[in-house]
Amino acid sequence: MEHIQCLIIGSGPAGYTAAVYAARADLKPVMYEGMEPGGQLMITTEVENYPGFPTGVQGPELMAHFREQALRFKTDVRIGMATKVDFNSTPKRVWIDNEKEITADTVIIATGASAKWLGLESEIRLRNLGGGVSACAVCDGFFYRGKEVAIVGAGDTACEEAHYLSKLCTKVYMIVRRDQFRASKAMQHRVQTTPNIEILYSSETQEVQGEHVVEGALIKNTITGDVRQIKIDGFFVAIGHQPNTGIFKGFIDMDEQEYIITQPDSTKTNIEGVFACGDAQDKIYRQAITAAGTGCMAALDAERYLAAKGH
Ligand code: NDP
């Protein structure tokens, strides 16, 4: 069985930053990339707020830089997904792709978060068919130029994406489940004053229509009970994210939304030798730069933990 000093699970900004620091500290980190190598930035276009790139950078290009830097210090980056863990034992046990078992002195969890879906049968079916259901307007909005679309959600993400879509599409329906937004006042104002965004308050989606591609949606007003059909070609969902922490349940303390709880001013979890960074433990900031920052912290915490244990 393979034994590793520092195992990093996940390959977004948090995981790669942890890798750079751990490798330079000679912890010989091994990283398993997970299901979406590079994480959420791989499905982003322009990133304008990552310091060090004064004219902006494309998300995939930024992740290529992260990767190159981690490889330069000899991080062992592997394809594969952690599918099961046992954190009760020392060293920690982790299974990759349901078969390979690894033991590790330290584990850095950097598994990030994934977009949430409404859970409607029609939504999931059309999403799986690639038929016009998406959780990323910036990635897929381009395909709906000159067409009509809908977006569900009332947070900052939904407002930002609705505004983005309004520049490409002739019309954007914004489906808001309450009679008010959750987004900041500035973002609300932006969508409320954009002429081709129609906000449907107190509304829920009953069905996304279309056999192979999106053709429309049935929207119910939850106050009047009226159901309205809208004709659309694209259906976007922007209702928040779910941290990818399922395999750690039962071992690692989490909050009610399944974000990992870390000790104040550190990346330590309730389990000695297991550290968490990035969106898997951050529901507040959720930025590439904050993920990278906590990735750095996780590697430093792992290094200090190992030093204290006499490794
Ligand atoms: P949020 O959790 O803030 O908002 C999710 C929205 O989706 C809410 O309006 C919620 O409705 C709605 N929603 C949730 N579930 C459903 C459902 N089943 N059906 C219909 N609607 C649903 O997520 P965001 O991704 O918008 O933002 C996450 C964090 O990132 C926030 O802190 C936000 O401020 C931040 N952010 C900041 C940006 C910026 O400053 N530029 C840009 C993007 C994000 P309800 O309100 O009724 O609960």
Side-chain angles (χ1 to χ4, degrees), residues 118 152-158 160 177-178 182 238-240 284 286:
L118 296 175
V152 184
D156 283 323
T157 305
E160 205 167 70
R177 71 175 169 182
R178 289 184 294 148
R182 179 177 293 275
I239 60 169
I284 299 170
R286 302 180 53 246

Side-chain angles (χ1 to χ4, degrees), residues 49 116-119 152-160 175-184 187 190 203-205 237-241 257 259 283-287:
N49 55 8
K116 280 188 194 165
W117 300 94
L118 296 175
V152 184
D156 283 323
T157 305
C159 290
E160 205 167 70
I175 304 161
V176 174
R177 71 175 169 182
R178 289 184 294 148
D179 60 355
Q180 55 180 275
F181 279 90
R182 179 177 293 275
S184 60
M187 297 297 281
R190 209 178 192 190
S203 294
E204 66 180 33
T205 311
V237 181
I239 60 169
H241 288 78
Q257 292 162 275
Y259 284 90
K283 62 179 171 194
I284 299 170
Y285 303 105
R286 302 180 53 246
Q287 300 300 301

Side-chain angles (χ1 to χ4, degrees), residues 148-151 173-175 198 200 209 215-219 228-233 235:
E148 301 198 356
V149 299
I151 182 162
Y173 294 96
M174 210 172 169
I175 304 161
E198 182 179 340
L200 308 179
Q209 297 175 303
E215 291 168 2
L218 293 179
I219 310 297
R228 171 179 174 185
Q229 199 227 8
I230 54 171
K231 289 216 163 298
I232 46 168
D233 294 295
F235 185 82

Side-chain angles (χ1 to χ4, degrees), residues 143-197:
F143 302 119
Y144 304 96
R145 270 179 312 166
K147 296 183 173 174
E148 301 198 356
V149 299
I151 182 162
V152 184
D156 283 323
T157 305
C159 290
E160 205 167 70
E161 299 206 338
H163 189 253
Y164 176 84
L165 290 167
S166 73
K167 290 189 267 175
L168 295 167
C169 307
T170 49
K171 170 135 195 175
V172 180
Y173 294 96
M174 210 172 169
I175 304 161
V176 174
R177 71 175 169 182
R178 289 184 294 148
D179 60 355
Q180 55 180 275
F181 279 90
R182 179 177 293 275
S184 60
K185 287 275 179 291
M187 297 297 281
Q188 288 181 37
H189 183 72
R190 209 178 192 190
V191 293
Q192 283 162 343
T193 54
T194 303
N196 63 338
I197 298 180

Side-chain angles (χ1 to χ4, degrees), residues 10-31:
S11 59
Y16 272 122
T17 306
V20 168
Y21 274 77
R24 294 187 80 248
D26 207 23
L27 304 188
K28 302 190 173 43
V30 171
M31 170 192 280

